[in-house]
Amino acid sequence: MRVLKIIIFFIVLQVSAQQGGMWIPSLLEGMNEDEMRSLGSKLTAKDIYDVNNSSLKDAIGHFNGGCTSEVISPKGLLLTNHHCGFGQIQSHSSLENDYLKDGFWAMSLKDEIPNEGLFVEFIVRIEDVTEAMLMNVTDSMTPREKQSQIDKNRNSVEKNAKKESWQGIKIRPFYKGNQYYLFVTERFEDVRLVGAPPSSIGKFGSDTDNWVWPRHTGDFSIFRIYADKNNRPAKYDKNNVPYKPKHFLPVSLDGIEEGDFTMVFGFPGRTNEYLPAVAIEQITQKVNPSNIAIREAALKVIDANMKADDQIRIQYASKQARIANAWKKWIGENLGIEKSGAIDIKRQFEAEFTKALKAQGKESEYGMLLPEFDRLYKEFESINVKRGKFIEVFLRTNELMQMMLRLAQLEMSARRGEDTFNKARESTINRMKGIHKNYNVEVDKGVFKAVMPLFMPDKVDASIYDRTNFTDLDKTLKVLEGDSENVIAKLNSDIAYQYAKPIIMQFYTNYEPEFQRLNTEINAIQTTYMKALMEVMPGERYFPDANSTLRVTYGKVNGYAPRDAVYYNPVTYLDGVIEKYVPGDYEFDVPQRLRDLYNAKDYGQYADKNGKLPICFLGTNHTTGGNSGSPAIDAQGNLVGLNFDRVWEGTMSDIYYDPEICRNIMVDLRYVLFIIDKYAGAKHLIDEMKLVHPKK
Ligand code: ARG
Ligand code: GLU
């Protein structure tokens, strides 16, 4: 009995030790290092981040500014998600060489395909520059005065920073602007496509399975970084050579089991963990429902058309996926906030904060913060929702309105002279071509009729579709010919432009300034609130919100209970792929070759110790968008997984991390290796890697 109690106590301790957080890699010594060790890690803070010696961070690259990638061989081989490399894979695909459908494998270096515009950025060094950035910034300044002083400071910090000629510099605010860090970066611009599985593996389950567990997606693709002959960053050149990294991740063949330590290292984009309850209430009760409704209305039209027509299905696949991704996430976020009782928990926390202020005699200094939040968010609500709706209609769902917005921006650019106008015209033309590449007037008109009533119910006039020039690319390009005066005159005689322009002008002259005014005030209060929290309740767990900089998060491989009586195991197997198999289905088809390997149980060295092939697994790592493609690293610093998603019930971790239901989803590296080796026959890539057996 006693032993049992001790064991239970121990388990409770273990779970409560996993509370999430995205930590700055240069500051892990002490608390994080100890906590990681208590979770099973054998790594020191210096193994992860070291300025003088190579360390894990040298293998982690920011992939094209939006995803994460990692170096996995001494020859610059780079791993990321299939959905991160999707654009590149798509751009090299044609009907004859459909790499999206069939996959792509370069069988030698010379077959690797360059990608214009693609870049990977590494972090050389991180420095705390708070003092220099906040020099001469005083409490008596207005937010605007503060900002202009900070901008001045930024210039001198940048000028004085030590770096090599080929390196770059970034400075970012942390803890809501209470701290600043400087990053010295190295950006590689010759990054070539090496391999990608077919979408039926890399995107298996598509939107139905997106944000969902159990998951069976082999969401990976492979690139290679090339450098000049001095191993430095260089533009594409056929004489460039494979990059020799300061560090690359060895790959473990022993995989993971429930309870194992994992750490995820990458570039999370944006979180908001220190919002007051009143803000979370506004997001979940006003903003999310309004945006969800608009996307839902658009998706209904797009989905119906995609089902009815194959051509439309292909045309709208990627737009549909983009719209559906956030739509599904927001629904999950609302459910999770509700289920975890996050708003009440925040309220209790705020009551404690108020009590602590009293106890410490700091009411005069910080006592106005929470009432100010209440006042400002009340004032903010209607403009926040309205602006959100405008963005959803004019930027996310309706294509004609998106064109109108771009054209209105073009008209505005003429105020800054003919040169500016001509530059803007070039990019407008590209955008128009981009939209028309996969455009169907009937679908878009249907979307218009569905979404516009949710934004401006008294201004729905779909007849503009029958008389405008802009549903046709050639006519659109004609309108854009001539000098600015000429183009603007033609624009203003178009029926759709006449319809949209007043709405767009209202956005720029009314919504946007009002939104920015209140947002600036709210941010200023949020900065002081963050400072007050850390000062008044110093025992709490404070990590800086994600801001697309390099972070470490860690936890354990762990299942979860989404609902009463339901428990999800943390690992899926190839058997589950076969269970989901629907012949010919665009989401759940399985390639013949994969079915053959399954039937023959031909898993080579990639099976687990029970002879099964693991596909995906769950962890308690605190991740967000941008962590796609991040490595999951084991207790010894080896690669065991590739992050690509979160579970639906836990997507609220961007606002509130609940260790009970927040889980990240990773591809098991053994599945990645199996696909490269057994499925694609690209054994030469495996031979480049360093495969290890840390558990033996
Ligand atoms: N939910 C993941 C993320 O936020 C994956 C998105 C790509 N996959 C998809 N089915 N749309 O990026
Ligand atoms: N799929 C996301 C991405 O592209 C990662 C999932 C998440 O938001 O956690 O970064």
Side-chain angles (χ1 to χ4, degrees):
M1 202 47 208
R2 222 196 128 103
V3 173
L4 193 67
K5 260 194 198 145
I6 291 172
I7 291 175
I8 288 173
F9 178 72
F10 191 67
I11 290 172
V12 169
L13 248 189
Q14 290 268 305
V15 169
S16 66
Q18 303 165 18
Q19 294 173 61
M22 303 162 168
W23 307 94
I24 303 174
S26 52
L27 303 177
L28 299 174
E29 260 165 45
M31 192 280 276
N32 296 122
E33 203 179 27
D34 295 345
E35 196 172 69
M36 290 168 86
R37 212 166 278 149
S38 79
L39 292 169
S41 170
K42 302 279 183 279
L43 299 164
T44 65
K46 275 213 153 50
D47 292 333
I48 297 168
Y49 175 92
D50 194 343
V51 202
N52 303 313
N53 300 290
S54 71
S55 54
L56 289 177
K57 72 123 169 69
D58 296 317
I60 318 299
H62 205 178
F63 188 84
N64 224 14
C67 280
T68 304
S69 55
E70 51 279 354
V71 186
I72 55 170
S73 93
K75 292 198 276 181
L77 205 59
L78 193 73
L79 182 65
T80 189
N81 286 145
H82 186 265
H83 80 262
C84 294
F86 197 85
Q88 284 74 34
I89 304 165
Q90 182 175 40
S91 76
H92 302 304
S93 292
S94 60
L95 279 178
E96 306 80 62
N97 291 310
D98 194 343
Y99 301 146
L100 277 182
K101 183 162 164 287
D102 305 323
F104 167 78
W105 301 95
M107 286 303 165
S108 69
L109 289 182
K110 68 174 190 336
D111 299 328
E112 300 179 355
I113 315 177
N115 298 285
E116 215 189 308
L118 176 62
F119 65 90
V120 172
E121 198 167 84
F122 294 93
I123 304 302
V124 179
R125 200 170 74 234
I126 306 174
E127 273 171 35
D128 186 344
V129 290
T130 307
E131 210 174 307
M133 285 294 290
L134 295 180
M135 184 135 50
N136 299 328
V137 175
T138 63
D139 286 341
S140 59
M141 288 176 162
T142 65
R144 188 165 297 173
E145 288 166 343
K146 280 186 185 167
Q147 196 51 54
S148 98
Q149 181 62 44
I150 289 170
D151 291 341
K152 235 183 272 163
N153 293 343
R154 179 186 298 270
N155 282 338
S156 69
V157 174
E158 270 175 10
K159 232 191 321 202
N160 295 329
K162 279 200 204 71
K163 68 164 193 75
E164 305 293 343
S165 59
W166 64 87
Q167 297 175 331
I169 282 193
K170 275 185 186 161
I171 299 169
R172 294 282 179 272
F174 287 70
Y175 293 105
K176 306 293 175 196
N178 286 288
Q179 294 180 19
Y180 283 83
Y181 286 85
L182 175 145
F183 299 81
V184 178
T185 59
E186 268 176 22
R187 177 188 283 223
F188 289 83
E189 299 186 330
D190 187 350
V191 182
R192 305 185 195 171
L193 179 63
V194 174
S199 291
S200 52
I201 291 172
K203 212 185 161 185
F204 182 73
S206 192
D207 287 310
T208 300
D209 272 8
N210 192 21
W211 300 113
V212 165
W213 187 258
R215 193 64 157 275
H216 299 86
T217 314
D219 194 346
F220 79 96
S221 60
I222 296 189
F223 290 78
R224 189 188 305 279
I225 301 176
Y226 283 74
D228 69 14
K229 56 182 189 307
N230 299 315
N231 204 35
R232 297 216 179 116
K235 297 242 174 270
Y236 169 77
D237 187 302
K238 65 176 183 349
N239 295 321
N240 284 345
V241 292
Y243 170 58
K244 290 191 274 309
K246 286 180 231 154
H247 183 73
F248 66 91
L249 299 177
V251 182
S252 167
L253 280 172
D254 293 346
I256 43 80
E257 276 171 63
E258 176 138 35
D260 279 359
F261 169 85
T262 58
M263 119 180 187
V264 171
F265 207 172
F267 293 84
R270 217 164 75 96
T271 60
N272 242 323
E273 311 281 350
Y274 303 97
L275 291 175
V278 57
I280 303 179
E281 221 164 33
Q282 186 167 110
I283 293 169
T284 54
Q285 290 167 23
K286 305 290 174 189
V287 180
N288 280 354
S290 146
N291 293 349
I292 289 167
I294 292 176
R295 289 202 182 205
E296 195 150 298
L299 286 168
K300 221 185 223 162
V301 175
I302 298 173
D303 287 346
N305 278 284
M306 283 172 70
K307 276 216 179 84
D309 184 324
D310 255 7
Q311 164 90 13
I312 294 174
R313 180 177 62 69
I314 294 166
Q315 276 184 324
Y316 277 76
S318 138
K319 286 177 202 168
Q320 196 275 355
R322 214 175 314 128
I323 296 172
N325 194 36
W327 165 76
K328 198 164 177 182
K329 191 213 143 177
W330 291 327
I331 297 173
E333 184 169 272
N334 271 11
L335 285 172
I337 292 288
E338 172 87 5
K339 187 176 159 64
S340 63
I343 294 175
D344 279 343
I345 292 172
K346 282 273 176 186
R347 285 246 155 76
Q348 278 164 28
F349 178 77
E350 286 163 15
E352 271 169 50
F353 171 70
T354 306
K355 226 195 280 166
L357 282 185
K358 275 205 188 100
Q360 298 175 28
K362 291 188 171 161
E363 283 167 294
S364 60
E365 207 174 337
Y366 298 130
M368 76 307 180
L369 292 172
L370 291 171
E372 269 296 273
F373 271 136
D374 280 341
R375 181 183 72 78
L376 285 167
Y377 272 103
K378 201 172 275 162
E379 205 182 332
F380 193 47
E381 182 176 303
S382 85
I383 192 65
N384 194 16
V385 171
K386 233 188 302 178
R387 180 177 177 273
K389 286 185 179 179
F390 177 87
I391 290 173
E392 285 302 307
V393 173
F394 277 76
L395 275 168
R396 308 281 183 248
T397 55
N398 187 253
E399 295 163 281
L400 183 59
M401 291 306 110
Q402 196 179 329
M403 290 191 255
M404 295 309 105
L405 178 60
R406 298 304 176 196
L407 293 169
Q409 288 168 343
L410 177 66
E411 178 172 352
M412 287 187 272
S413 78
R415 282 185 230 146
R416 277 168 285 140
E418 206 63 19
D419 273 357
T420 312
F421 177 83
N422 280 327
K423 260 196 216 121
R425 184 213 323 255
E426 276 319 296
S427 72
T428 308
I429 288 175
N430 283 333
R431 287 200 186 262
M432 297 295 138
K433 285 183 180 162
I435 292 172
H436 275 280
K437 201 165 142 201
N438 287 305
Y439 187 67
N440 180 295
V441 189
E442 286 313 311
V443 176
D444 194 41
K445 187 174 173 182
V447 169
F448 179 89
K449 284 194 215 162
V451 299
M452 210 59 193
L454 297 171
F455 174 43
M456 295 204 150
D458 49 347
K459 284 212 187 79
V460 188
D461 178 8
S463 72
I464 56 170
Y465 274 82
D466 309 325
R467 289 177 288 151
T468 178
N469 282 306
F470 299 113
T471 50
D472 180 281
L473 181 60
D474 290 335
K475 288 186 193 162
T476 300
L477 297 178
K478 277 255 158 56
V479 173
L480 292 172
E481 281 168 12
D483 63 14
S484 63
E485 202 176 321
N486 200 285
V487 171
I488 288 169
K490 282 186 279 179
L491 274 181
N492 282 282
S493 64
D494 187 276
I495 179 84
Y497 195 73
Q498 287 167 2
Y499 168 87
K501 188 173 165 182
I503 305 175
I504 295 167
M505 286 308 134
Q506 190 178 9
F507 173 78
Y508 278 114
T509 56
N510 178 341
Y511 297 5
E512 193 57 12
E514 175 72 353
F515 176 90
Q516 292 305 345
R517 178 181 73 78
L518 287 165
N519 200 37
T520 305
E521 279 194 57
I522 287 173
N523 286 341
I525 298 292
Q526 186 78 53
T527 301
T528 314
Y529 182 53
M530 188 81 237
K531 174 167 175 256
L533 287 178
M534 295 170 89
E535 194 180 304
V536 174
M537 302 168 80
E540 294 291 323
R541 191 180 177 85
Y542 299 112
F543 53 90
D545 271 317
N547 57 0
S548 295
T549 62
L550 185 61
R551 301 293 180 88
V552 169
T553 173
Y554 48 83
K556 286 190 164 205
V557 176
N558 213 185
Y560 73 110
R563 306 180 278 290
D564 187 32
V566 178
Y567 182 78
Y568 281 146
N569 290 326
V571 181
T572 59
Y573 297 96
L574 187 57
D575 311 63
V577 174
I578 303 301
E579 275 176 14
K580 284 180 177 173
Y581 169 44
V582 181
D585 187 74
Y586 84 103
E587 295 190 304
F588 292 102
D589 202 6
V590 176
Q592 176 75 45
R593 179 154 177 76
L594 188 55
R595 283 181 280 130
D596 290 345
L597 288 163
Y598 171 76
N599 288 330
K601 301 285 171 286
D602 185 3
Y603 305 152
Q605 58 184 336
Y606 310 113
D608 73 358
K609 58 180 193 271
N610 301 315
K612 303 209 320 178
L613 185 68
I615 306 291
C616 294
F617 64 98
L618 291 178
T620 60
N621 309 290
H622 188 177
T623 55
T624 189
N627 271 125
S628 274
S630 296
I633 293 170
D634 72 3
Q636 284 90 2
N638 306 304
L639 185 62
V640 287
L642 181 61
N643 183 74
F644 71 103
D645 210 359
R646 277 174 287 168
V647 302
W648 207 42
E649 297 82 359
T651 58
M652 87 294 192
S653 64
D654 289 349
I655 302 175
Y656 175 73
Y657 181 87
D658 179 348
E660 293 294 321
I661 49 175
C662 292
R663 296 290 178 274
N664 70 313
I665 306 179
M666 297 153 276
V667 193
D668 195 303
L669 243 289
R670 290 170 293 184
Y671 186 45
V672 171
L673 298 182
F674 164 83
I675 294 295
I676 296 173
D677 181 351
K678 291 281 179 176
Y679 179 87
K683 182 83 185 350
H684 62 289
L685 298 177
I686 307 279
D687 294 340
E688 265 187 50
M689 303 175 199
K690 183 175 164 194
L691 304 186
V692 294
H693 279 288
K695 290 187 176 177
K696 283 200 180 128

